[in-house]
């Protein structure tokens, strides 16, 4: 128990007296409210208090934040107890945690309140907020920062359940749990890979420097190999590239698998989560390696890097990942060769914006927005004002459509002069962009609006300017390449964009980690049979020991999914599969479909697509509404259906005997995409409305920053997060949640670094071996 709560857990000497004090407080009291409690400011303050590296907050400010947070925790814990139900109403679950009566439950609730008070006393009075010194406070604070009050409530529930189990685990079992939760050496999870003496080639440099092109050349020259990228579009692009060169290649993504049938050996092009770790190959290329630091998906890059069985592993990414990769290579005894690249053509930020006028666009411009609705409205506005065609590219666009749109934009001999795109273009898509125009300097990340980070601005803006265009390749033109240009649509955003290009992002300190199914299954086997897997995951997370070079990825989605599928009789192995299902937990339709899929697996029922009433196939028969108020709801239904079909396909590859309507699902998916495209193509564009929308969103971001400065004092060093395409929202104008994001802290352990490192500067001539269709990064 002490491993969870640290010094916050000290049983009172007079437990009966404490229990009597607790019983004197009405159990039905309303949630505590504080007249100064602004949740957004509180969340920001808590985050900055803990993440400060350059400016320490005044003690009275920190103390105020923690006191307000304590008030919020008290009210949420009361709600948690009420939601879990009285002992008589939920006896089976309470008994699984060792509670035999309502009296015992009331007693433990009172004791846990004392533990909470002790944790906040340590934080407020003694400044003990770290994971080792005060893990209960650390977990509650991080849950609130990551997922707002809902995440805080879930964390309180898991902490209380762990508290209840304190007497059910004897010392020997506790020691066994801690041994199983020792995750300091994740490279030992791949013994077959450790038998191979690999050479790690790390290709680093800015965008448009040729690093990915050189890595892919090594892959093409090998007999067998793997490409693993962050987007299915990149996997599809590499798969098409190998097919054009008559090299057999398999395509592996979460929703699609295409395996060559006329050969025994082939290359693999896949999303990083689908990297085949049991296949021995000559060369493996892992793209965008800096995403190893992502709180959400970083574990996939860590798993691919540590587990891929290749004689040569080529990693492509930003220079700030070099110290981390060198250290990890030293730990596993593998040689690391660093190839440094310089940008092939200059990059300049312009002194003037487009002043909000599409008439100032030039041929070869790419306007970058951060929602599909905004992208399609931009396309409409550009074509209406300029009289020229505008191509369109974003992450969820079908690969064939994306390829045709990119070809239209890259061809200089047609009237497709402009491109409206999402930040997917920052991931190395092959586009002949001369100038990048930011529609805004902030984005909605699935929880709230936030400014773009320095790496995001640099990676997206860096797509401006190609070293050699298609025309130069065909004509043999060897003239000096023109610089890439970066600007913004509005003056208000240009200053932030220019400022980002003057900054350097700090090195990436840690790689993401998530316990593999084998660890979860073995850990679960040492708990009573009826123990919820959500509690097992929470317990594993709390007891886990990590090396200083690793951090634990976010558990919140896995814990929510575990709760959703708890009623169904699934094996632990099946539950581990469902933990990774691609689902938007904020969408009720997707949640209902997920539960239907889990029930189908548990009961071995009919997995025919038409037998799931939670899949809203009826929307395909409806005519697109004309009223704006109805269009948004119709679009959300189409989006939910598309996600549910994608989930069905994902599960069909893992339960082939259950979900058997794969061909029908692909057909329905195509129909839904056509419906979505038709709907978005008919969006109207009113310049004044779009201008006011950008101003309103900008005002929200500015208001949040002002609150932060007023509450916390001077700006601190910017916390840099990994670049990710993020969640593409259909409608940014809807009411958005207030909170999101979060940080982490590391545990003990680790080893030294520095051995086996060779730095190879790449000459300008070597980097310039570009060709038409190359995926230069």
């Amino acid at each position: 128990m002490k491993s969870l709560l640290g010094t916050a857990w000290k049983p009172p000497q007079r437990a009966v007296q404490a229990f009597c004090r607790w019983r004197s407080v009405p159990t039905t009291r309303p949630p505590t409210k504080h007249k100064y409690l602004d949740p957004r400011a509180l969340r920001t303050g808590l985050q900055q208090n803990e993440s400060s590296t350059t400016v320490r907050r005044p003690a009275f400010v920190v103390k105020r934040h923690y006191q307000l947070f304590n008030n919020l925790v008290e009210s949420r814990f009361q709600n948690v107890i009420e939601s879990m139900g009285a002992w008589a109403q939920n006896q089976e679950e309470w008994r699984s945690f060792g509670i035999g009566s309502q009296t015992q439950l009331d007693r433990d609730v009172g004791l846990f309140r004392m533990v909470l008070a002790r944790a906040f006393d340590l934080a407020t009075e003694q400044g003990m907020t770290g994971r080792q010194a005060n893990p209960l406070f650390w977990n509650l604070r991080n849950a609130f920062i990551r997922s707002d009050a809902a995440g805080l409530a879930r964390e309180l529930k898991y902490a209380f359940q762990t508290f209840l189990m304190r007497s059910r685990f004897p010392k020997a079992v506790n020691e066994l749990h801690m041994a199983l939760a020792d995750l300091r050496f994740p490279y030992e999870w791949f013994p077959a890979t450790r038998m191979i003496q690999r050479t790690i080639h790390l290709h680093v440099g800015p965008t448009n420097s040729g690093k990915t092109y050189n890595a892919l050349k090594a892959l093409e020259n090998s007999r067998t190999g793997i490409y693993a990228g962050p987007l299915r579009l990149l996997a599809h692009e590499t798969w098409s590239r190998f097919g054009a060169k008559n090299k057999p290649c398999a395509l592996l993504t979460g929703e699609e698998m295409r395996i060559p049938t006329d050969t025994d050996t082939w290359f693999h092009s896949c999303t990083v989560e689908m990297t085949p770790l049991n296949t021995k190959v000559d060369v493996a290329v892992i793209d965008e390696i800096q995403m190893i630091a992502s709180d959400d998906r970083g574990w996939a890059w860590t798993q691919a890097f540590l587990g891929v069985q290749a004689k040569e592993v080529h990693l492509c990414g930003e220079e700030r990942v070099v110290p981390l990769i060198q250290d990890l290579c030293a730990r596993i005894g593998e040689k690391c060769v660093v190839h440094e690249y310089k940008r092939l053509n200059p990059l300049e930020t312009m002194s003037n914006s487009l002043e909000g006028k599409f008439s100032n666009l030039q041929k070869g411009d790419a306007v970058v927005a951060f929602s599909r609705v905004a992208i399609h409205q931009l396309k409409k506005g550009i074509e209406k004002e300029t009289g020229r065609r505008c191509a369109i590219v974003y992450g969820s666009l079908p690969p064939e459509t994306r390829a045709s749109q990119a070809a239209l934009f890259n061809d200089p001999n047609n009237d497709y002069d402009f491109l409206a795109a999402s930040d997917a273009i920052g991931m190395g898509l092959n586009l002949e962009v001369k100038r990048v125009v930011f529609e805004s300097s902030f984005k909605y990340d699935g929880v709230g609006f936030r400014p773009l980070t320095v790496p995001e601005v640099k990676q997206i803006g860096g797509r401006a300017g190609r070293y050699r265009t298609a025309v130069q390749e065909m004509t043999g033109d060897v003239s000096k390449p023109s610089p890439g240009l970066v600007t913004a649509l509005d003056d208000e955003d240009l200053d932030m964009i220019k400022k980002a290009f003057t900054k350097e992002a700090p090195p990436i300190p840690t790689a993401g980690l998530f316990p593999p199914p084998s660890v979860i299954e073995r850990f679960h086997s040492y708990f009573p049979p009826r123990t919820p897997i959500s509690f097992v995951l929470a317990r594993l997370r709390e007891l886990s020991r990590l090396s200083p070079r690793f951090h634990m990825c976010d558990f919140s989605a896995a814990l929510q999914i575990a709760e959703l599928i708890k009623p169904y009789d699934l094996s632990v192995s099946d539950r581990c599969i469902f933990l990774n299902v691609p689902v938007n937990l904020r969408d009720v339709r997707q949640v209902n479909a997920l539960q239907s899929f889990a029930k189908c697996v548990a009961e071995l029922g009919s997995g025919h697509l038409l037998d799931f009433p939670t899949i809203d196939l009826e929307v395909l028969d409806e005519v697109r509404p004309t009223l704006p108020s109805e269009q948004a709801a119709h679009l959300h239904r189409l989006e939910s259906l598309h996600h549910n079909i994608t989930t069905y396909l994902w599960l069909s590859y893992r339960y082939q005997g259950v979900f058997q309507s794969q061909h029908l699902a692909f057909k329905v998916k195509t129909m839904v995409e056509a419906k979505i495209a038709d709907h978005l193509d008919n969006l109207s564009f009113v310049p004044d409305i779009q201008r006011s929308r950008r101003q309103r969103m900008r005002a929200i971001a500015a208001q949040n920053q002002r609150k932060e400065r007023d509450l916390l004092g001077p700006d601190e060093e910017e916390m840099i997060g990994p670049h990710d395409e993020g969640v593409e929202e259909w409608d940014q104008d809807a009411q958005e949640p207030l909170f999101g994001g979060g940080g982490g802290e590391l545990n003990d352990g680790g080893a030294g670094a520095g051995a086996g490192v060779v730095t190879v500067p790449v000459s300008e001539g070597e980097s310039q071996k570009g060709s038409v269709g190359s995926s230069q990064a």
Side-chain angles (χ1 to χ4, degrees):
M1 189 61 225
K2 193 171 182 179
S3 62
L4 171 70
L5 301 177
T7 53
W9 166 240
K10 290 185 178 180
Q13 295 179 354
R14 304 183 65 182
V16 175
Q17 182 178 355
F19 168 62
C20 293
R21 288 200 300 268
W22 154 244
R23 287 298 298 238
S24 66
V25 180
T27 58
T28 59
R29 66 178 183 178
T32 304
K33 294 184 179 180
H34 197 285
K35 64 180 180 179
Y36 299 112
L37 182 56
D38 180 346
R40 180 188 286 114
L42 173 59
R43 176 185 169 276
T44 304
L46 290 170
Q47 185 175 17
Q48 294 293 344
N49 288 339
E50 200 66 22
S51 63
S52 173
T53 57
T54 58
V55 179
R56 303 307 300 177
R57 298 303 179 196
F60 75 90
V61 173
V62 176
K63 187 173 182 179
R64 179 179 62 183
H65 290 156
Y66 293 163
Q67 289 172 341
L68 296 178
F69 186 40
N70 191 10
N71 293 337
L72 180 63
V73 168
E74 287 180 0
S75 67
R76 291 297 169 181
F77 180 59
Q78 180 64 31
N79 294 339
V80 167
I81 296 302
E82 293 173 356
S83 67
M84 294 176 71
W87 184 86
Q89 299 171 349
N90 198 13
Q91 290 188 32
E92 183 176 354
E93 183 168 349
W94 284 123
R95 288 184 185 280
S96 68
F97 289 101
I99 302 299
S101 66
Q102 182 66 43
T103 302
Q104 184 181 358
L105 174 60
D106 291 341
R107 176 181 178 276
D108 281 332
V109 167
L111 292 176
F112 185 69
R113 283 188 178 275
M114 297 185 67
V115 172
L116 287 173
R118 173 62 176 165
F120 276 92
D121 180 68
L122 291 174
T124 305
E125 303 300 333
Q126 301 182 37
M128 299 172 64
T129 61
R131 184 180 182 184
Q132 292 298 310
N134 195 354
L136 177 58
F137 177 86
W138 186 85
N139 287 329
L140 294 176
R141 172 192 161 274
N142 277 4
F144 181 50
I145 289 174
R146 288 175 186 266
S147 305
D148 187 25
L152 175 62
R154 287 192 297 269
E155 191 62 40
L156 279 166
K157 179 179 179 180
Y158 301 136
F160 181 55
Q161 289 175 340
T162 302
F163 177 81
L164 296 178
M165 296 286 282
R166 66 194 185 282
S167 61
R168 303 205 67 187
F169 297 129
K171 181 178 180 181
V173 174
N174 269 323
E175 292 176 352
L176 179 61
H177 284 179
M178 295 188 68
L180 292 174
D182 189 348
L183 309 180
R184 291 175 297 169
F185 312 105
Y187 24 84
E188 295 180 354
W189 299 343
F190 311 99
T193 308
R194 299 286 77 81
M195 298 293 291
I196 303 173
Q197 189 60 42
R198 305 184 305 173
T199 300
I200 310 300
H201 292 271
L202 181 56
H203 304 263
V204 296
T207 52
N208 203 8
S209 60
K211 55 182 183 292
T212 304
Y213 168 76
N214 282 278
L216 288 176
K217 289 297 291 183
L219 181 61
E220 289 179 11
N221 294 331
S222 64
R223 187 178 62 87
T224 58
I226 297 170
Y227 169 83
L231 300 175
R232 66 188 183 95
L233 287 182
L234 288 177
H236 195 278
E237 186 175 86
T238 304
W239 175 76
S240 300
R241 172 178 176 162
F242 275 72
K245 297 185 177 182
N246 294 320
K247 292 180 178 290
C249 185
L251 176 65
L252 306 175
T253 67
E255 62 189 61
E256 187 176 14
M257 294 186 185
R258 301 185 187 182
I259 308 296
T261 57
D262 54 352
T263 180
D264 294 330
T265 60
W266 55 78
F267 292 86
H268 294 79
S269 183
C270 55
T271 48
V272 69
E273 288 86 351
M274 300 293 292
T275 305
L277 302 181
N278 295 325
T279 302
K280 292 185 177 181
V281 296
D282 295 327
V283 173
V285 174
I286 304 175
D287 209 356
E288 305 295 345
I289 187 61
Q290 73 276 0
M291 290 186 68
I292 198 172
S294 170
D295 272 346
D296 297 319
R297 299 177 64 197
W299 63 270
W301 273 264
T302 303
Q303 173 182 275
F305 166 60
L306 295 178
V308 68
Q309 297 187 45
K311 298 175 183 177
E312 290 185 11
V313 180
H314 293 257
L315 310 177
C316 308
E318 299 176 15
E319 190 173 0
R320 60 196 181 103
V321 80
V322 171
L324 173 63
I325 298 300
Q326 288 178 336
D327 191 3
L328 295 180
C329 288
R331 291 165 185 259
I332 56 182
E334 294 179 342
K335 183 179 180 181
C336 179
V337 182
V338 181
H339 304 266
E340 298 176 341
Y341 296 78
K342 302 298 182 183
R343 185 176 171 86
L344 300 178
N345 66 327
L347 183 67
E348 301 175 3
T349 54
M350 300 183 65
S351 56
N352 298 317
S353 72
L354 300 189
E355 300 177 350
K357 300 177 182 178
F358 294 137
S359 58
N360 292 326
L361 286 171
Q362 302 171 4
K363 184 177 177 61
D365 283 353
V367 185
V368 179
F370 301 101
S371 78
R372 283 174 238 182
V373 169
I375 292 170
H376 281 266
Q377 287 175 331
L378 282 173
K379 170 183 167 66
K380 282 285 185 181
I382 291 171
E383 292 180 341
K384 179 179 178 181
E385 190 164 336
T386 64
R388 305 290 289 177
R389 303 297 301 275
C390 179
I392 191 167
V393 169
Y394 54 84
S396 298
L397 203 64
E400 293 81 7
T401 305
R402 200 280 313 167
S404 65
Q405 291 286 301
L408 289 171
F409 175 72
N410 291 338
D411 186 355
N413 299 319
N414 60 29
D415 58 351
Y416 279 82
D417 290 352
F418 313 114
L419 175 71
S422 73
D423 50 351
I425 69 169
M427 290 291 187
L429 297 178
N430 184 28
L431 298 165
E432 305 285 352
V433 178
K434 294 181 180 178
R435 181 172 64 170
V436 168
V437 180
F438 284 85
E439 189 235 5
S440 66
S441 59
F442 51 86
K443 67 181 291 187
Y444 181 70
D445 60 3
V447 179
F449 288 96
R450 64 166 177 82
L452 298 175
T453 64
V454 170
E456 284 175 334
V457 172
K458 287 187 172 182
Q459 191 158 23
I460 297 170
R463 301 313 305 173
R466 299 286 293 181
Y467 170 64
R468 297 181 69 82
T469 67
V471 173
Q472 287 176 318
E473 290 289 344
M474 289 185 294
T475 61
D477 185 2
V478 294
S479 60
K480 185 177 180 180
S482 58
L485 302 175
V486 181
T487 187
L489 186 60
D490 298 318
D491 290 334
E492 294 87 341
D493 296 313
L494 183 57
D495 287 340
M496 196 284 281
I497 300 299
K498 294 170 66 175
K499 184 179 178 182
F501 276 97
T502 64
K503 291 184 176 180
E504 291 296 331
I508 292 175
T510 56
L513 205 62
F514 194 86
S518 58
V519 172
I520 296 175
E521 290 179 29
R522 188 178 179 192
F523 193 74
H524 189 279
S525 66
Y526 291 95
F527 287 82
R530 294 194 302 269
T531 304
I533 193 171
S534 57
F535 169 75
V536 175
L537 288 173
R539 174 79 170 170
L540 176 58
R541 182 193 59 180
E542 305 312 327
L543 295 181
S544 62
R545 299 179 64 193
L546 305 179
S547 158
R549 278 302 191 182
F550 296 96
H551 70 267
M552 190 66 75
C553 286
D554 188 12
F555 265 68
S556 58
L559 290 171
Q560 291 181 65
I561 292 175
E563 284 290 304
L564 290 171
I565 64 176
K566 183 171 66 173
Y568 308 113
D569 186 19
L570 295 168
S571 67
V572 178
S573 177
D574 288 333
R575 293 183 188 276
C576 288
I577 291 175
F578 271 88
L579 294 181
N580 294 311
V581 168
V583 60
N584 180 1
L585 296 171
R586 300 191 307 275
D587 188 333
V588 176
R589 292 187 181 92
Q590 293 186 53
V591 169
N592 292 337
L594 174 67
Q595 291 179 311
S596 298
F597 296 149
K599 182 180 179 181
C600 180
V601 173
E603 299 176 354
L604 294 178
S606 170
H608 196 281
L609 185 65
L610 301 179
D611 292 337
F612 291 99
T614 54
I615 298 181
D616 186 17
L617 296 174
E618 291 78 11
V619 70
L620 293 175
D621 298 326
E622 296 183 8
V623 179
R624 176 173 51 83
T626 56
L627 295 177
S629 59
E630 297 176 354
Q631 288 179 347
H634 183 70
L635 199 55
H636 277 293
R637 288 180 64 188
L638 289 172
E639 179 196 29
S640 297
L641 177 58
H642 189 271
H643 277 290
N644 287 337
I645 297 299
T646 300
T647 303
Y648 183 94
L649 288 170
W650 190 90
L651 289 169
S652 72
Y653 290 110
R654 290 150 180 85
Y655 297 99
Q656 296 182 6
V658 178
F659 302 96
Q660 303 177 29
S661 303
Q662 193 177 82
H663 293 295
L664 177 60
F666 274 116
K667 184 176 181 179
V668 172
K669 181 172 177 285
T670 302
M671 295 170 62
V672 177
E673 289 167 351
K675 279 271 190 179
I676 292 173
D678 174 70
H679 194 112
L680 294 175
D681 285 341
N682 284 279
L683 289 173
S684 60
F685 179 85
V686 180
D688 291 340
I689 293 178
Q690 297 307 310
R691 190 177 299 109
S692 62
R693 180 188 66 85
R694 294 196 300 271
Q695 290 174 349
R696 181 161 57 87
M697 297 300 103
R698 195 179 296 115
I700 292 174
Q703 183 182 23
N704 292 341
Q705 290 180 323
R706 282 196 301 271
K707 284 186 177 181
E708 182 176 331
R709 284 195 299 267
D710 293 342
L711 185 65
L712 304 174
D715 290 339
E716 296 184 0
E717 186 71 22
E718 182 181 11
M719 298 299 292
I720 303 298
H723 172 68
D724 196 351
E725 187 182 358
V727 179
E728 290 179 321
E729 295 297 318
W730 289 113
D731 184 9
Q732 281 189 334
D733 295 331
Q735 181 67 36
E736 308 293 359
L738 293 178
F739 315 118
E745 186 172 307
L746 304 177
N747 211 331
D748 57 302
V757 177
V758 181
T759 300
V760 180
V762 180
S763 66
E764 187 172 335
E766 184 179 352
S767 296
Q768 295 175 358
K769 298 175 183 178
S771 63
V772 178
S774 67
S775 291
Q776 293 176 328

